[in-house]
Amino acid sequence: MRKRVFTIMLTVLLTLTMVLPVTAEENKLYIIDQLGVVSGQLTELNQEASDLSDTYGVNVTLLLLKTTDGAGTPDISERIYQASFGESDGMMLVFSQDENEWFIYKTGTAAEVITEEDDNALWEAFASGEYYDDCVNAYLDKAQEQLTEKLGSGEATTTEAVTEEAVQETTTQAEVATEETAQVIPDNRLLPRLTDEADLLSDSEETDLLAKLDEISDRQKCDVVVATVNSLEGKTAMEYADDFYDYNGYGYGEERDGIILLISMEDRDWWMSTCGYGITAFTDAGQKYMSDKFIPMVSDGEYADAFTKYADLCDEFLTQAKTGEPYDKSNMPKESLNIIWLPIDLAVGLFAAFIVASLKKSKLKTVRRKAAAQDYVVDGSFRVTKNYDRFITKNVTTRTIHRDDDSGGSSTHTSSSGSSHGGSGGKF
């Protein structure tokens, strides 16, 4: 009942908004901002969406909600779009802040030419903005790019005007898309691979790090993620990291392969959570090795360097795992020796040997060389009169050789969503 009342109230509100006495050019609201997060550019953005819709004959709309109150974004998007635009061709991206959920409703021409892959690209464009104004602009730009590609010159097009051949070509292209391409961005990805809620990085550092994480993840086919937060919201670091990974759609392929580094500033907690192939590639011993390399940097406030080191180590460990022998207790990375230490070590060794030899030589003051070997023998100083062996006692020394029964690997646990995760963490 509550769900129905909420939907009816929202629909009535939007309907009343659209029948207000406004000019003919503004009689439709394409950008609906219930959150109140879009700044003074809302009028300009609405006009841009209107012009785009008129050019292609396909409504390009956006709805920002605080909550669907349990109705769900698919149901809300269909109801609101039809209340605003009826059965006309178009699409509506809906984002619910509280549920952290998005959905793209499509009808008519949009449903025929915009594929699921295009949906993901539209969301990725929206989610890439730093501010909501940027998000809306990026979404409109991506929609224009897609419609130009699908419909050609950009002149108004109705459902009837889309030729059967064009629809067939679009469908065929979607069907022959390789699995590798489809997995570049998971269907339900909600957040980028870098989420800096604690604001530990500058804008340029965020840009560089996100580019590195994306490049490594796409090349290795395994998500490498960094998230910083101000609070764990009452959860443990492990629980928060697992849930952040699960509920924000991270992970490559069916097994949702990946790793996430979570940093919480509230009590200075950190946690690495692994999933899918990430559990294999990042063993318990491997995670200990990695964290020893970058957590000291986090402790010193060198966040950009720490996260970059983490990303590079993830790349190295994933490459090693593909050889069939992941880094583990008996197979850890070999530390390279700087060549500058070779002459230094040699010089120190020679100097130490010279000192020891000189000290021993200085103690041999009474020794004199004899002319012949017999000169060293003293007459009558040694005579053997009796020779025998006598067993006195026996002394046996034993020691215990401890067997290392720990064969390494990764310990796992189950998250609140039922997914299997590995991981490790601590304080910094």
Side-chain angles (χ1 to χ4, degrees), residues 40-298:
Q41 296 187 36
L42 182 59
T43 302
E44 291 79 6
L45 291 171
N46 189 67
Q47 185 60 51
E48 181 180 345
S50 176
D51 294 341
L52 179 62
S53 302
D54 291 341
T55 300
Y56 292 94
V58 175
N59 295 318
V60 180
T61 68
L62 175 70
L63 172 61
L64 300 176
L65 292 173
K66 179 168 180 57
T67 178
T68 66
D69 203 21
T73 50
D75 184 52
I76 287 293
S77 61
E78 181 177 5
R79 289 173 179 269
I80 300 306
Y81 183 90
Q82 291 182 358
S84 303
F85 302 96
E87 299 297 327
S88 58
D89 300 345
M91 56 186 175
M92 172 176 279
L93 168 60
V94 178
F95 173 65
S96 174
Q97 186 181 65
D98 285 2
E99 287 90 347
N100 200 14
E101 178 181 327
W102 67 275
F103 182 79
I104 296 182
Y105 170 79
K106 297 172 292 188
T107 183
T109 300
E112 293 176 345
V113 301
I114 302 299
T115 65
E116 289 187 8
E117 185 178 352
D118 296 329
D119 290 349
N120 296 329
L122 287 167
W123 168 252
E124 283 294 312
F126 177 84
S128 66
E130 183 175 0
Y131 300 100
Y132 275 97
D133 292 7
D134 302 329
C135 295
V136 178
N137 262 316
Y139 164 70
L140 295 177
D141 290 344
K142 177 58 70 173
Q144 181 177 12
E145 176 185 328
Q146 290 182 355
L147 290 173
T148 300
E149 178 184 351
K150 307 291 184 179
L151 303 179
S153 63
E155 296 181 356
T157 309
T158 63
T159 304
E160 293 76 18
V162 179
T163 65
E164 182 177 354
E165 179 181 354
V167 175
Q168 181 62 38
E169 179 181 357
T170 302
T171 304
T172 302
Q173 290 174 349
E175 291 175 347
V176 301
T178 63
E179 181 179 354
E180 177 179 332
T181 302
Q183 290 181 354
V184 169
I185 300 173
D187 291 342
N188 58 344
R189 168 70 56 73
L190 299 180
L191 294 177
R193 293 183 177 107
L194 170 62
T195 303
D196 186 22
E197 293 180 6
D199 199 22
L200 304 182
L201 304 173
S202 66
D203 291 345
S204 61
E205 289 172 340
E206 284 189 24
T207 300
D208 293 343
L209 180 59
L210 179 58
K212 174 180 277 288
L213 295 173
D214 285 341
E215 191 279 327
I216 293 173
S217 301
D218 293 338
R219 172 165 46 81
Q220 296 284 10
K221 302 296 180 290
C222 184
D223 269 346
V224 178
V225 183
V226 173
T228 72
V229 296
N230 290 309
S231 170
L232 295 177
E233 301 174 0
K235 299 180 180 180
T236 65
M238 181 185 77
E239 292 168 344
Y240 198 102
D242 291 346
D243 290 348
F244 196 95
Y245 188 94
D246 292 339
Y247 296 118
N248 286 307
Y250 292 112
Y252 251 88
E254 294 181 359
E255 300 300 320
R256 300 176 53 248
D257 306 330
I259 180 172
I260 183 172
L261 169 63
L262 173 74
I263 300 293
S264 172
M265 300 304 294
E266 182 180 30
D267 293 315
R268 300 181 71 82
D269 292 290
W270 69 271
W271 190 269
M272 280 190 293
S273 178
T274 59
C275 189
Y277 187 67
I279 296 175
T280 300
F282 305 102
T283 63
D284 293 346
Q287 292 176 50
K288 176 65 168 58
Y289 175 91
M290 292 171 62
S291 61
D292 286 345
K293 299 298 182 183
F294 66 80
I295 288 300
M297 300 181 193
V298 177

